[in-house]
Amino acid sequence: MTADLSHIRNFGICAHIDAGKTTVSERILFYTGKNYKMGEVHEGTATMDFLQEEQERGITIQSAATTCPWTRSGKEYKLNLIDTPGHVDFTIEVERSLRVLDGAVAVFDGKEGVEAQSETVWRQADRYKVPRLCFINKMDKLGASFDFSYETIKTRLGANALPLQCPIGTGNEFQGIVDLVDLRAYYFEGDKGDKVTEKDIPEDLQEYVQKWRHELIEKAAELDDALMGKYLEGQEPTRDEIRAAVRKGVVARSVYPVLCGAALRNIGIQLLLDAVVDYLPSPTEKPDVEGTDPHDKNVKLSRPHDPAAPFSALVFKVVSDMHGDLTYIRVYSGTLTKGTRLLNPGNGKKENASRIFEMHAQNRIPLEQVTAGNIVAVVGIKDSYTGDTLCDQDDPIMLERMFFPEPVIAMSIEPKTTEDKRKLSEALGVIRREDPSFRSNYNEETGETIIAGMGELHLEIIKNKLTRDMKINVAVGKPKVSYREAITKKAEYVRGKFVKQTGGRGQFGDCTIHLEPFTAEQAAAEELDFTDNIAVENGVTGGAIPKEYIPSVEYGIRQTCMTGVKFGYPMINVKATIVDGSSHAVDSSQVAFEQAGRLAVMEATEKAGPVLLEPIMKVVVTVPNDYLGNVTGDISSRRGMIIDTDDRGVVKLVTAEIPLDQLFGYTTSLRGMSQGRASATMEFLEYRPMPRALQEAVVEADRGGKVAKK
């Protein structure tokens, strides 16, 4: 397979749950010759959904990677494909995949258009500056509309959509696709749609096609000055000119081409693969990867996408395996040969890449070496986790880390025997390595182990993994909401002084801090470390606190914020600035300054207007008109706020914001009030201050801080 970087495409398939991502992936594997039999999600035979939980539930839970070939215009291309989950509880899988991909195919349901999770995925792709193609799937579905779905991409996502295709018929009448660049009709014949037939565009579609062709030419002209000149002179651009302009726009993320098809009916996938090759960028078309000097974070470094450059790669996934952990990496620069010693600049540990594998879902193909631009799995890595950099020992670089969402729901879990207790501790460590959105901790006061995740399904999958896969007997408590603390105003010049005098040497630590509300955007602008949503800045002048004790003050501040001050929950979105202090020549110590930092934060929090924050979920309910009143009334009774109501034929789409603690068992309740005809999706939106009348009840019910802390 090609080693030419310009012939590599690293892309992912992502979308709202049930839009057909995995079915699209399975067709890609079949048409590229990677699989000789089509896997089906509804039959539990999908190659990319290989976990037992995935096959039983018919959903994707973890991202799966594969590599397959595709020939376009006589040239062979290497496609590194990642199929990602659509369920909001597994959003971390999408997050870490998009971080290392050069492009993505966003799949939409032809009847529903842009849905709630589609918006989340789109925002994640924006965060990592990922170019995208849009594929409107399920055009064979009753009620499917290309025009409607296209409009939702423009209006709901604010995307500059550009049509490359339009359908020949919809619903049961869906027969094929018109390519608006070539102005040819394509039909997919044979039992598996593997025979692509090119024909003239049907007469009755000419007017419809010309409408979309005009939009394509108009938008393509905006991307290229030469094309704009031709357009203004009334000249027809060539297909090569259109393709070149669209590719330029896609790489720059100024335009998002829209294609269509029906994966389950085997229509349109070959043309989608052609579009991936034609429009999504190769590694060489992406900017040099940027990072910092591990010894000085103020020094910016970069690496070209070049096999001859010093080696650098990012770990984006760790999977525990009986034969050793599989560490998935995206190689950005250089060449890695098996057996090479590497450096993790984050922790200073040396790692050994003993074996390298090209992955095909759960199957491995051994490699001797891998070059820049590729995605592989490595065995032998011991101390590197998701978000860590691996690089050349003699030329280190620290690549930008990933964003990990905070867990919003927790529950207690208790091993039944001493042996189970030992096994549970090891198992939770394994799961934490695999899943950065999962947290666990042991509460000394209550003797409980608390696990926390992104939703009820997330915790249920983890519970099943512990009991069914790892054979650990555990009793689980009811899920609980993970609350947070915050402050509402700035507290200045608050002193924390720790003095302890004993018979011998005493303890003396003294610091003064400002404490203020802070956001991730502010931290990024000021280039401050915002780990755990806490920033600490050293503003001490004149050596009032010896520099060797500053890290101790910071540690005391961070630890106190993470364990909670007023309500016993982790504090977030705060910045502490150390402004003054004093020391003692004999009695000062690291422990004393840790305690001084702790006392200062506790005092400052009381003065800064502490509040309890609760997670708010964005809920989208699809409900028949007959039951709209029942649903909206129920949302109001749950302290919910209705944001939008949208007509979708005989059903309404109700978008609401509801506190998570009001949503346990909501799906069952919703079915009951709509005779099983309504459905809902939900995703974490943000933390908001809780009404003061309810704060005390929460704290009393959960005294002791029974919440998962990182």
Side-chain angles (χ1 to χ4, degrees), residues 73-349:
S73 303
K75 297 176 184 174
E76 189 170 288
Y77 291 83
K78 179 178 181 179
L79 309 181
N80 291 319
L81 164 68
I82 297 182
D83 176 31
T84 67
H87 197 288
V88 66
D89 283 15
F90 310 108
T91 187
I92 182 63
E93 292 286 341
V94 185
E95 189 82 35
R96 58 183 171 191
S97 298
L98 288 171
R99 170 66 178 83
V100 299
L101 292 171
D102 299 327
V105 175
V107 180
F108 303 94
D109 185 307
K111 181 184 176 186
E112 308 299 337
V114 173
E115 298 175 86
Q117 188 65 8
S118 314
E119 296 179 42
T120 305
V121 168
W122 199 265
R123 286 196 303 270
Q124 289 173 308
D126 282 340
R127 182 185 295 132
Y128 294 117
K129 301 183 173 133
V130 179
R132 274 145 278 171
L133 300 178
C134 302
F135 182 70
I136 299 175
N137 191 27
K138 302 191 178 183
M139 287 306 302
D140 58 331
K141 193 174 179 181
L142 193 63
S145 167
F146 180 81
D147 300 49
F148 165 76
S149 297
Y150 182 84
E151 280 303 312
T152 63
I153 291 170
K154 291 201 300 184
T155 55
R156 292 188 192 163
L157 300 178
N160 184 19
L162 175 147
L164 288 181
Q165 300 172 351
C166 66
I168 301 172
T170 56
N172 294 332
E173 303 298 315
F174 183 54
Q175 303 167 44
I177 291 165
V178 172
D179 186 311
L180 297 169
V181 179
D182 292 341
L183 283 178
R184 299 292 289 164
Y186 290 89
Y187 298 86
F188 302 81
E189 298 166 352
D191 291 342
K192 295 186 170 71
D194 47 350
K195 186 183 175 187
V196 183
T197 306
E198 182 183 332
K199 296 181 181 178
D200 292 334
I201 297 167
E203 278 300 317
D204 61 342
L205 272 184
Q206 289 290 346
E207 189 178 331
Y208 181 67
V209 168
Q210 281 307 316
K211 180 193 88 166
W212 287 111
R213 168 79 175 183
H214 178 73
E215 176 141 352
L216 164 64
I217 301 298
E218 196 174 61
K219 293 204 166 184
E222 293 170 3
L223 303 168
D224 186 271
D225 291 341
L227 210 59
M228 178 60 82
K230 263 192 156 185
Y231 174 71
L232 293 174
E233 290 169 13
Q235 296 179 43
E236 191 74 6
T238 67
R239 66 182 185 182
D240 288 342
E241 287 173 334
I242 295 171
R243 281 194 185 125
V246 174
R247 182 180 183 84
K248 180 178 166 187
V250 172
V251 173
R253 293 181 301 111
S254 58
V255 73
Y256 300 94
V258 181
L259 303 93
C260 62
L264 199 60
R265 289 254 313 274
N266 311 317
I267 297 176
I269 303 302
Q270 295 94 325
L271 298 187
L272 173 63
L273 286 166
D274 286 345
V276 165
V277 166
D278 288 346
Y279 303 112
L280 290 183
S282 68
T284 55
E285 291 171 288
K286 299 284 283 183
D288 290 356
V289 64
E290 294 183 345
T292 56
D293 186 330
H295 307 298
D296 185 352
K297 291 181 181 177
N298 295 317
V299 177
K300 305 295 183 189
L301 301 173
S302 65
R303 292 279 186 273
H305 301 277
D306 182 353
F311 180 79
S312 69
L314 189 77
V315 175
F316 70 95
K317 187 178 169 95
V318 178
V319 177
S320 294
D321 189 276
M322 59 190 295
H323 304 297
D325 284 359
L326 272 177
T327 303
Y328 285 75
I329 62 171
R330 160 68 195 264
V331 182
Y332 284 103
S333 63
T335 301
L336 176 65
T337 304
K338 74 174 186 179
T340 303
R341 294 279 285 174
L342 300 170
L343 172 69
N344 179 336
N347 58 21
K349 299 278 182 74

Side-chain angles (χ1 to χ4, degrees), residues 496-658:
K497 187 174 182 181
F498 181 75
V499 181
K500 191 174 182 183
Q501 205 61 49
T502 55
R505 178 183 168 183
Q507 295 282 5
F508 183 91
D510 176 24
C511 70
T512 301
I513 68 168
H514 299 332
L515 194 70
E516 60 189 300
F518 208 58
T519 65
E521 290 75 22
Q522 288 173 295
E526 296 181 26
E527 297 188 351
L528 289 176
D529 178 11
F530 203 50
T531 305
D532 298 311
N533 296 300
I534 304 161
V536 183
E537 187 173 27
N538 178 18
V540 175
T541 56
I545 299 176
K547 62 181 181 181
E548 64 265 28
Y549 294 132
I550 295 293
S552 301
V553 178
E554 178 174 343
Y555 181 79
I557 290 169
R558 285 187 175 278
Q559 287 302 110
T560 307
C561 288
M562 286 164 64
T563 52
V565 180
K566 171 78 172 175
F567 304 104
Y569 299 97
M571 185 183 287
I572 61 170
N573 298 339
V574 292
K575 175 187 174 186
T577 307
I578 310 165
V579 293
D580 201 2
S582 63
S583 63
H584 189 280
V586 177
D587 291 351
S588 285
S589 67
Q590 291 183 345
V591 171
F593 274 100
E594 276 178 28
Q595 291 299 318
R598 178 173 174 275
L599 293 171
V601 167
M602 292 175 74
E603 179 74 20
T605 300
E606 286 295 334
K607 295 180 178 179
V611 290
L612 189 65
L613 304 180
E614 61 179 345
I616 303 296
M617 308 297 283
K618 177 184 175 183
V619 182
V620 179
V621 184
T622 305
V623 56
N625 292 331
D626 297 351
Y627 303 100
L628 180 63
N630 294 359
V631 168
T632 54
D634 181 68
I635 288 171
S636 299
S637 73
R638 294 174 185 268
R639 294 198 288 125
M641 183 165 57
I642 294 172
I643 305 300
D644 186 32
T645 304
D646 192 13
D647 275 309
R648 288 287 181 87
V650 295
V651 299
K652 288 276 198 300
L653 239 67
V654 181
T655 303
E657 296 173 1
I658 309 175

